[in-house]
Amino acid sequence: MKRFALPLLAGLLAGTALAGPAFAAKDLVVGLPDNITTLDPADINDTLSQSASRTMMQGLFGFDKDMKLIPLLAESFTVNDAATEYTYRLRKNVTFHDGTPFNAQAVKTNFDRLANPANRLKRQSLLAMLAETVVVDDTTITLKLSQPFGALNNNLAHPGAMIHSPKALETFGKEIGRHPVGTGPYKFVSWEADTLKVEKNDKYWKPGLPKIDHVTLKSVPENGSRIAMLQTNEAQFIYPLPPEMVKMVEANQALELIDSPSIIARYVAMNTMKKPFNDPRVRQALNYAIDKNAYAKVVYRGYAGPLDSAIPSKLGFHVTQPNQYTYDLAKAKALLAEAGYPNGFEAEMFGRNSTNFIRGMQFVQQQLSQIGVKLTVTPLESGVETARVWGVEKPEDATVQMQYGGWSASTGDADWGLRPLLWGKGFPPKFFNVAYYKNDTVDAAIETGIATADTAKRAEAYRVAQEQIWKDAPWIFLGVENLLAGKSKKLTGFYYVADGGLQMEEADLQ
């Protein structure tokens, strides 16, 4: 058995400050691009709703502002050499917002709920390998797995594994998504239409936090309206900031621009089971036909970097590939001719109907026209796109030719950057392998990487997987977008992290 001690977070042993004079309430307003879908982390597919839930809820683990794994409700753990049994020592003297004590039984209730396929929760795959949860005592729980899984703690750090009050689960049942009760820094107040309100948890287990009294998360889809809220101090943070509005933030002395790398990969998935994309020469040709630097400039106004492997550079176990698909029209045309398409071909590409997605698809369409590839671009409302991808039970029935998309691996680990998207056993509707890509070498490497907790063995497995995927090119590897946001200079301790999520625990207004 290997034992790992997890460092106590700074300040946990610090004494509480003496009472001082009363101050005006600190109220924070955050401008969001879309509506929150639910506040049940186990049933959330979008990063925005995960961020909203994170204000109130926590898991055994989480990530710091640099996407490094940190302990939250777990203090230490042991794992056997086979990576099939993990035992966690839990943090003591923590209570849920409704007064229910946090303990091993609460963890068991939540994890059993998430792992049960009958509950049809969107994040069930995070604990699909869980065979049994054993309550050892109030502060100790053992998770027994049906197969080796070396990235379990990363999965438990995913927002989808955050923990509800078991009393709230029993009281609200399927309506828990509108009645969140967690152990986090803020407590639920209300959620109506486009506005979520939370308030300070005075009994939070980290002394001195939170420093904000009330947080309002307001959905403002129109870009201009969000920037106006920031400029008038109606909001103190807005995201995402459209690249064309960066100069407006930079010109305002009261505001600050956030511009940092992300782990949000942008790519075009090609259905490798259908002609002409079943030929790797065609897929490689399309990669050579795209000017990636121009993509960053046109689609993101330069606020994007290269996708130089199958996963972004800030993701664990990333390996930069030596033979990049540099812009080379002559090489692209030669590969197409070699594959039997000297005059190109026609195909359809679909994606979301947002401004940035449409801009990206149109760029790809223009670029590929230079080698005779004529694309029909089909923007789809998110529900329609979801139905088109997930409404297919068999790969041969899929209508996908090319899909413009993106992915953020919110576990911070290579496993979640590869397995859902490029594992040969992960075709829709099970996972997100819209390229219907299958390679035995890649499958074996992905399975090896997740079957051990040995870092060196995992690194080698993911090196092999990335190398083969890059060669096979099931995607057009477009880029990694930067995180752009605007905030008031009076706001500190508020983080826009690499997976596109928000962290507000340490936020303060000066």
Side-chain angles (χ1 to χ4, degrees):
M1 299 284 281
K2 297 174 183 174
R3 182 172 181 81
F4 299 84
L6 304 177
L8 284 172
L9 298 173
L12 287 186
L13 301 180
T16 55
L18 295 174
F23 292 96
K26 293 181 178 181
D27 297 341
L28 171 64
V29 177
V30 179
L32 310 175
D34 296 298
N35 285 331
I36 295 165
T37 56
T38 179
L39 295 170
D40 177 8
D43 207 30
I44 291 174
N45 252 347
D46 63 288
T47 305
L48 183 152
S49 300
Q50 290 173 354
S51 294
S53 299
R54 192 187 278 128
T55 62
M56 300 166 279
M57 306 187 70
Q58 297 172 308
L60 298 189
F61 295 87
F63 295 102
D64 66 12
K65 61 185 178 65
D66 299 312
M67 285 295 291
K68 290 188 172 72
L69 191 73
I70 57 171
L72 290 177
L73 297 177
E75 287 191 328
S76 65
F77 76 98
T78 59
V79 56
N80 65 358
D81 290 336
T84 56
E85 187 170 312
Y86 290 73
T87 297
Y88 298 93
R89 293 287 296 177
L90 306 179
R91 198 170 295 283
K92 300 175 182 177
N93 303 316
V94 176
T95 58
F96 290 96
H97 301 153
D98 60 4
T100 303
F102 167 74
N103 55 28
Q105 184 59 50
V107 177
K108 176 178 173 59
T109 298
N110 277 266
F111 287 1
D112 287 351
R113 171 182 181 257
L114 176 57
N116 186 352
N119 290 328
R120 302 181 67 85
L121 296 168
K122 293 184 178 70
R123 291 300 180 179
Q124 187 268 340
S125 59
L126 290 170
L127 288 179
M129 76 302 293
L130 182 61
E132 184 183 3
T133 54
V134 180
V135 174
V136 180
D137 56 43
D138 255 10
T139 58
T140 312
I141 189 165
T142 295
L143 305 186
K144 297 183 178 182
L145 312 183
S146 60
Q147 61 196 57
F149 195 82
L152 183 62
N153 290 344
N154 287 78
N155 276 26
L156 296 181
H158 188 286
M162 293 191 294
I163 295 170
H164 289 285
S165 160
K167 180 181 177 182
L169 282 171
E170 182 180 359
T171 301
F172 299 111
K174 292 184 178 180
E175 293 300 309
I176 190 67
R178 299 202 68 87
H179 303 277
V181 181
T183 59
Y186 299 98
K187 299 186 296 183
F188 178 73
V189 175
S190 65
W191 176 30
E192 299 175 0
D194 60 359
T195 303
L196 169 69
K197 294 184 178 181
V198 297
E199 65 182 5
K200 181 176 184 176
N201 174 14
D202 290 320
K203 298 180 180 179
Y204 189 44
W205 56 272
K206 293 187 185 181
L209 293 175
K211 299 174 182 178
I212 298 291
D213 295 296
H214 305 94
V215 179
T216 299
L217 304 179
K218 188 171 181 60
S219 172
V220 187
E222 206 279 311
N223 292 336
S225 297
R226 280 203 311 281
I227 192 75
M229 289 176 66
L230 185 66
Q231 289 177 316
T232 59
N233 201 39
E234 185 181 345
Q236 291 75 47
F237 184 95
I238 64 164
Y239 86 108
L241 183 68
E244 57 269 24
M245 294 184 176
V246 165
K247 290 184 178 179
M248 296 175 68
V249 171
E250 291 178 328
N252 190 322
Q253 295 298 310
L255 304 180
E256 183 178 326
L257 172 70
I258 294 175
D259 173 18
S260 59
S262 78
I263 56 170
I264 304 171
R266 291 294 172 198
Y267 56 85
V268 176
M270 296 171 278
N271 189 335
T272 60
M273 287 191 171
K274 292 186 181 293
K275 291 184 176 181
F277 306 109
N278 61 338
D279 191 323
R281 293 170 296 186
V282 170
R283 304 193 300 265
Q284 291 166 357
L286 269 53
N287 270 284
Y288 282 115
I290 302 289
D291 185 339
K292 312 303 195 306
N293 292 327
Y295 171 79
K297 291 177 182 177
V298 172
V299 181
Y300 293 99
R301 301 290 178 97
Y303 295 100
L307 180 57
D308 59 9
S309 188
I311 56 176
S313 61
K314 288 181 73 70
L315 210 57
F317 302 110
H318 164 272
V319 178
T320 299
Q321 299 306 303
N323 300 312
Q324 291 293 305
Y325 290 106
T326 52
Y327 184 48
D328 190 333
L329 290 178
K331 192 164 188 174
K333 291 176 180 178
L335 281 166
L336 278 186
E338 187 181 321
Y341 301 95
N343 301 313
F345 55 85
E346 295 183 6
E348 182 206 28
M349 175 173 57
F350 67 82
R352 294 283 176 91
N353 62 349
S354 69
T355 301
N356 220 51
F357 269 59
I358 293 172
R359 185 186 296 162
M361 288 191 288
Q362 289 175 341
F363 176 84
V364 172
Q365 178 186 47
Q366 179 275 324
Q367 292 274 287
L368 296 186
S369 69
Q370 298 177 99
I371 58 169
V373 175
K374 299 176 182 177
L375 292 187
T376 298
V377 169
T378 306
L380 298 174
E381 187 272 326
S382 60
V384 176
E385 183 189 40
T386 298
R388 183 165 176 182
V389 172
W390 304 109
V392 176
E393 292 293 332
K394 299 177 182 178
E396 55 267 28
D397 296 334
T399 61
V400 176
Q401 288 183 297
M402 303 172 74
Q403 183 197 30
Y404 182 94
W407 183 259
S408 172
S410 293
T411 65
D413 188 83
D415 169 64
W416 205 244
L418 295 174
R419 188 162 53 93
L421 303 171
L422 295 162
W423 185 40
K425 300 173 186 176
F427 300 157
K430 181 177 181 178
F431 277 142
F432 307 89
N433 187 348
V434 184
Y436 291 93
Y437 169 69
K438 179 172 176 57
N439 179 282
D440 290 343
T441 299
V442 171
D443 289 351
I446 288 174
E447 290 163 15
T448 298
I450 207 58
T452 177
D454 186 298
T455 301
K457 291 178 181 178
R458 298 193 73 215
E460 174 59 16
Y462 293 127
R463 182 197 66 77
V464 171
Q466 290 172 73
E467 181 180 281
Q468 188 63 49
I469 291 165
W470 192 256
K471 179 181 177 182
D472 289 346
W475 297 347
I476 301 175
F477 303 97
L478 293 174
V480 180
E481 65 182 73
N482 284 18
L483 298 174
L484 293 177
K487 77 176 190 71
S488 166
K489 287 184 177 178
K490 294 181 179 180
L491 177 63
T492 60
F494 187 110
Y495 305 114
Y496 191 13
V497 294
D499 68 345
L502 306 177
Q503 294 183 2
M504 310 178 206
E505 179 187 60
E506 299 175 6
D508 195 7
L509 285 168
Q510 305 302 322

